[in-house]
């Protein structure tokens, strides 16, 4: 099962990236609305999307579920210090982990996926950022005979404690995007190019 946590940037990217467009339109790809912009856009075109489900929530739930059901988990991505912290978090929670890989240890990410194929994990979380993580999973997906695969972006940074998630009030009001912009103002242009343009595009198509 390949899950894509899709936000407006994901769809805007697919307008110019044929490979990304193909994997999003694949009937075997599960799209999850990660972002209030997707929920609002869906409502504009009368498509039934009840709520957003973030990548970090999916990552946390899969780690919990994997631990509870004694499933094997493979974590791939993030910087060395983040991976080291993730290892501590995972061991403290007694989660059954096959291996954790840092993208800096081996530059050839395809070779790492060949290694993942051999370990036959139940859950694979890839934190390389969009669109690299999605393309990499999609490219190698047919080589696996089981497993749940998710690109989780910067989730390891938050789970490991290297970055703080937005306060609960921001999450409750679907304003995590605003918190991120306040913390990192340089994100404003990126937000405009993805979220704002996306909503205008959906409005025009409606």
């Amino acid at each position: 099962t390949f899950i894509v946590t899709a936000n407006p940037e994901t769809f805007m990217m697919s307008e110019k990236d044929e490979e990304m467009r193909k994997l999003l339109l694949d009937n075997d790809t599960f799209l999850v609305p990660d972002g209030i912009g997707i929920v609002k856009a869906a409502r504009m075109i009368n498509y039934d999307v009840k709520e957003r489900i973030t990548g970090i929530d999916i990552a946390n739930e899969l780690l919990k579920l994997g631990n509870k059901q004694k499933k094997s988990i493979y974590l791939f991505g993030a910087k060395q210090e983040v991976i080291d912290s993730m290892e501590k978090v995972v061991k403290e929670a007694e989660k059954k982990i096959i291996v954790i890989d840092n993208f800096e240890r081996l530059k050839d990410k395809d070779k790492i996926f060949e290694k993942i194929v051999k370990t036959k994990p139940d859950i694979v979380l890839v934190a390389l950022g969009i669109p690299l993580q999605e393309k990499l999973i999609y490219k190698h997906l047919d080589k696996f005979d089981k497993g749940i695969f998710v690109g989780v972006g910067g989730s390891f940074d938050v789970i490991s404690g290297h970055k703080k998630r937005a306060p609960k009030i921001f999450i409750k009001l679907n304003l995590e995007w605003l918190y991120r912009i306040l913390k990192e103002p340089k994100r404003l242009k990126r937000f405009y190019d993805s979220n704002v343009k996306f909503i205008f595009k959906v409005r025009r198509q409606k």
Side-chain angles (χ1 to χ4, degrees):
T1 299
F2 177 28
I3 299 170
V4 175
T5 57
N7 59 25
E9 186 177 22
T10 312
F11 287 109
M12 292 300 284
M13 207 173 276
S14 71
E15 292 285 293
K16 298 173 184 175
D17 188 327
E18 190 56 41
E19 192 180 347
M20 195 67 183
R21 188 176 179 82
K22 181 185 175 186
L23 73 86
L24 289 177
L25 291 172
D26 192 314
N27 288 332
D28 291 329
T29 301
F30 285 80
L31 297 181
V32 174
D34 179 2
I36 192 62
I38 297 294
V39 178
K40 287 182 179 296
R43 287 172 184 165
M44 285 166 63
I45 56 173
N46 299 317
Y47 194 85
D48 186 24
V49 173
K50 291 181 174 59
E51 62 181 347
R52 73 190 185 107
I53 306 169
T54 67
I56 188 167
D57 288 332
I58 288 178
N60 273 321
E61 286 302 317
L62 283 174
L63 286 169
K64 269 193 249 174
L65 188 69
N67 185 34
K68 186 178 178 182
Q69 298 187 4
K70 301 195 185 320
K71 299 294 183 182
S72 56
I73 305 168
Y74 200 117
L75 308 182
F76 171 40
K79 293 181 180 178
Q80 185 61 56
E81 59 266 27
V82 174
I83 286 295
D84 290 342
S85 298
M86 278 298 291
E87 212 154 359
K88 287 176 188 172
V89 169
V90 163
K91 282 178 180 174
E92 282 169 12
E94 296 183 348
K95 291 179 171 62
K96 183 188 172 188
I97 296 289
I98 287 182
V99 72
I100 303 180
D101 256 319
N102 167 351
F103 69 80
E104 290 173 340
R105 281 187 197 147
L106 188 60
K107 296 295 182 185
D108 190 340
K109 297 170 182 61
D110 289 308
K111 280 188 179 176
I112 290 183
F113 253 83
E114 294 296 340
K115 180 181 170 186
I116 298 174
V117 171
K118 289 174 185 173
T119 58
K120 299 184 178 180
D122 297 304
I123 298 166
V124 179
L125 303 181
V126 183
L128 296 173
I130 183 173
L132 179 57
Q133 58 195 20
E134 283 76 20
K135 288 181 178 182
L136 201 58
I137 292 170
Y138 191 66
K139 180 180 178 181
H140 294 275
L141 197 62
D142 288 343
K143 297 171 187 172
F144 294 87
D145 55 12
K146 67 169 184 175
I148 296 172
F149 299 79
V150 194
V152 294
S155 297
F156 293 173
D157 294 312
V158 178
I159 294 170
S160 66
H162 279 261
K163 275 190 179 180
K164 283 188 177 180
R165 193 174 180 184
K168 288 182 180 178
I169 185 67
F170 280 85
I171 297 171
K172 187 178 180 180
L173 296 173
N174 293 312
L175 292 173
E176 271 190 281
W177 59 270
L178 178 59
Y179 178 79
R180 285 197 290 268
I181 290 173
L182 291 173
K183 295 288 283 184
E184 300 176 64
K186 63 182 180 182
R187 282 178 170 267
L188 187 56
K189 185 182 183 304
R190 181 176 165 185
F191 178 81
Y192 177 80
D193 287 340
S194 55
N195 289 260
V196 177
K197 287 183 178 179
F198 171 73
I199 289 294
F200 279 124
K201 193 173 184 66
V202 173
R203 191 170 287 167
R204 278 200 306 273
Q205 290 194 0
K206 180 189 175 184

